[in-house]
Amino acid sequence: MIRILRNPLQTFTLFYLLTLYVDSFTPQQYRRSHLSKRASHRHFPQRVVEIYTDYAGRLWNETAPAVRQQITNDKISAAIRQLRQVTKTSNVLPSETLLQLDNACQSMLSAIVASTENQTVVETFRTESDAVNITVSSSDSVTPAKKPRRSIMRGVIMGAIVAAWVFSGNYIFTGLFTLMTTVGQLEYYRMIMNTGVYPARRISVVGACSMFVTALFFPDLHQICLPLFGLYAMVWFLTMRRSVATIPEIATTFTGMFYLGYVPSFWVRIRLLGGSREPTRLAPLLSPLVNFIQGKATQLPTWIPQAVHLPITTGAIFIFWSWLCLAFSDVGAYFVGKNFGKTKLSTISPAAGAASPNKSLEGVIGGCVVSGSLGVLGAWVMRWPFFFWTGAIHGVMLALLGLLGDLTASMLKRDAGLKDFGDLIPEHGGVLDRVDSFVWSAPYSWLVCAYIIPFLKSISTVKPL
């Protein structure tokens, strides 16, 4: 037996025969399921690409001009029917005038129906199983339905994927961010269209994506992207539109590029900071893993840029701890608010309470405590000066900015009459439903990582513990 094991070829043959022998006693149904699982693992990247392209294509079709026309026709039809209903009970106008008005309303409805039948309109979300409710209503009458209970395991898996994304490298980090921004832009503009406003969709999507690419390759020109594409949008509104653009159309176009393009693209600029990073306190524990990954990376073809898989920058470590604070501030706010929340947020801010009635002041405090604690831990790991105070302040600021982002998204959804921005992620909604807390914290985080912490290190005379 020992002689056989010394020969690699004979060893492989022996194990192969043993595998066939064991497989002969395996139930057929189990073997089929095992093979199907192996096949599903092989096709997992392809499945991810299919899910993304299908969802992005569906969003693109649902923001097409034909759908815009259908939404306009529905709004006009609803207004005409309401006018007819009101005039039937009116005793102010003469009967002849009422009859003429009724005939005119009927003619308009017939014309709208005829124009709708002659168009090929892309079918929108109108089934009860969809996460997005396209019915337009006033903000006073909107009561979002209760969301299903989220799976903890699914949240852990998503967290692991995000961590791998943060340390994946400059190109992959920016590329995935750009793809996510494209879907988020389309979710945003579909929501805007449901309110009867039609912004410049293509210009905004291209402009937002260009801000991420510029932040990666030309960070010094990053700040010029928003004015340039804003100028481009105004030229398009004045030269390509058949009618004069309205203030809401112009405002929502600029808001999309700013809120979902320019502001979050600061995370890319943070990712580039500190190529020659200072070792953290966890470096002795993680260095074997990092060296193993870097050793494998050196075996990649030479035509693959090193930035695809390297480097692990100071900015990447900063992003990891900041996003960890943001994620757990949401978790802490949820559990504290659910178990101890008695004071509604509306007591100190009526507008914030109206945007998210379930949030409580105790939940906000709980989120700040959890985020501040993780901020202190992250500051200690990253060797920040005065780590206890700088980490605590940074964690609390992230929790408050994350709350501001969450309330901003809730305010937009409530005004549009939506429960979620989309249905891409089961139990979590669309892309914007997951990243709303990370938007407004990006410029602040860039300021901290690029200027405040280096300044404190330069003036610090006390050696960190």
Side-chain angles (χ1 to χ4, degrees):
M1 187 67 179
I2 297 176
R3 292 179 180 178
I4 295 176
L5 293 177
R6 287 177 180 174
N7 192 319
L9 180 60
Q10 293 179 352
T11 304
F12 174 78
T13 305
L14 176 62
F15 277 102
Y16 180 72
L17 292 175
L18 286 174
T19 304
L20 293 179
Y21 178 75
V22 174
D23 190 62
S24 63
F25 291 96
T26 306
Q28 188 70 16
Q29 184 178 0
Y30 174 80
R31 280 189 286 172
R32 290 176 179 175
S33 63
H34 182 66
L35 291 175
S36 64
K37 289 181 180 179
R38 292 180 61 185
S40 64
H41 288 308
R42 286 198 301 267
H43 297 293
F44 178 74
Q46 180 181 357
R47 180 58 181 160
V48 171
V49 173
E50 290 177 355
I51 292 174
Y52 177 86
T53 54
D54 291 345
Y55 186 68
R58 181 153 55 96
L59 290 173
W60 186 262
N61 292 333
E62 288 166 5
T63 54
V67 179
R68 301 181 186 184
Q69 186 61 46
Q70 180 64 37
I71 295 175
T72 302
N73 292 344
D74 292 343
K75 284 179 169 292
I76 295 175
S77 300
I80 293 173
R81 293 190 182 95
Q82 186 177 7
L83 177 61
R84 293 182 68 185
Q85 185 66 28
V86 171
T87 55
K88 287 180 180 179
T89 59
S90 176
N91 297 324
V92 178
L93 298 176
S95 57
E96 295 181 358
T97 304
L98 291 175
L99 181 60
Q100 294 177 358
L101 182 59
D102 186 74
N103 292 334
C105 291
Q106 184 61 41
S107 300
M108 293 178 65
L109 288 174
S110 301
I112 292 174
V113 171
S115 63
T116 303
E117 292 177 351
N118 293 331
Q119 293 177 351
T120 304
V121 180
V122 180
E123 184 179 359
T124 57
F125 291 157
R126 295 191 184 275
T127 60
E128 296 180 355
S129 60
D130 291 323
V132 181
N133 178 17
I134 298 219
T135 304
V136 180
S137 57
S138 63
S139 59
D140 297 334
S141 62
V142 175
T143 304
K146 188 177 180 180
K147 294 184 178 180
R149 191 173 182 180
R150 295 174 179 174
S151 171
I152 297 177
M153 181 57 65
R154 184 168 295 174
V156 172
I157 294 174
M158 289 179 59
I161 293 174
V162 171
W165 171 36
V166 170
F167 293 108
S168 60
N170 294 334
Y171 289 176
I172 297 177
F173 180 81
T174 306
L176 293 179
F177 225 137
T178 305
L179 293 175
M180 186 173 61
T181 299
T182 302
V183 173
Q185 284 271 321
L186 294 177
E187 288 178 348
Y188 168 77
Y189 285 114
R190 181 178 61 181
M191 176 199 69
I192 295 299
M193 283 175 51
N194 295 333
T195 64
V197 179
Y198 310 119
R201 174 189 56 162
R202 290 183 177 87
I203 296 175
S204 183
V205 171
V206 174
C209 293
S210 70
M211 295 173 193
F212 288 88
V213 177
T214 305
L216 174 62
F217 293 104
F218 311 102
D220 293 337
L221 301 178
H222 172 242
Q223 62 271 16
I224 201 64
C225 289
L226 183 62
L228 286 179
F229 277 92
L231 175 63
Y232 180 29
M234 291 308 304
V235 171
W236 185 85
F237 277 126
L238 291 172
T239 58
M240 303 302 294
R241 292 285 291 265
R242 296 182 179 179
S243 59
V244 177
T246 63
I247 293 177
E249 290 174 342
I250 299 173
T252 52
T253 301
F254 277 72
T255 301
M257 289 189 290
F258 176 76
Y259 176 61
L260 300 173
Y262 181 70
V263 176
S265 62
F266 275 92
W267 289 117
V268 176
R269 298 191 66 174
I270 296 173
R271 182 64 177 77
L272 303 177
L273 295 175
S276 56
R277 60 183 176 85
E278 179 184 359
T280 65
R281 297 185 187 273
L282 295 180
L285 297 177
L286 299 177
S287 58
L289 176 61
V290 174
N291 293 333
F292 173 78
I293 296 175
Q294 292 181 349
K296 293 294 184 181
T298 56
Q299 300 176 8
L300 295 174
T302 56
W303 53 268
I304 297 180
Q306 210 179 33
V308 169
H309 50 85
L310 296 174
I312 299 177
T313 62
T314 301
I317 300 173
F318 177 90
I319 291 174
F320 172 78
W321 284 104
S322 297
W323 286 9
L324 198 66
C325 291
L326 286 167
F328 276 90
S329 69
D330 191 17
V331 175
Y334 173 77
F335 281 104
V336 174
K338 183 179 180 180
N339 297 307
F340 306 102
K342 296 180 180 179
T343 308
K344 293 297 182 182
L345 198 59
S346 57
T347 57
I348 60 173
S349 177
S356 186
N358 295 327
K359 281 186 171 52
S360 63
L361 187 60
E362 291 81 2
V364 174
I365 296 174
C368 290
V369 170
V370 173
S371 180
S373 302
L374 284 173
V376 172
L377 178 61
W380 178 80
V381 170
M382 292 183 286
R383 302 178 183 273
W384 285 6
F386 318 109
F387 70 89
F388 184 83
W389 298 108
T390 54
I393 294 172
H394 180 59
V396 172
M397 283 295 299
L398 287 174
L400 295 177
L401 290 172
L403 173 65
L404 180 63
D406 191 4
L407 292 175
T408 301
S410 299
M411 180 174 58
L412 294 174
K413 289 186 289 186
R414 183 165 291 274
D415 184 59
L418 303 180
K419 183 182 69 173
D420 288 323
F421 283 105
D423 60 348
L424 176 64
I425 309 172
E427 303 177 3
H428 291 267
V431 170
L432 292 184
D433 296 292
R434 289 294 85 211
V435 302
D436 51 9
S437 301
F438 299 81
V439 174
W440 293 121
S441 55
Y444 155 79
S445 298
W446 176 75
L447 184 65
V448 171
C449 189
Y451 293 100
I452 295 179
I453 297 302
F455 173 73
L456 291 177
K457 287 183 177 181
S458 66
I459 65 173
S460 176
T461 57
V462 180
K463 186 178 181 180
L465 296 178

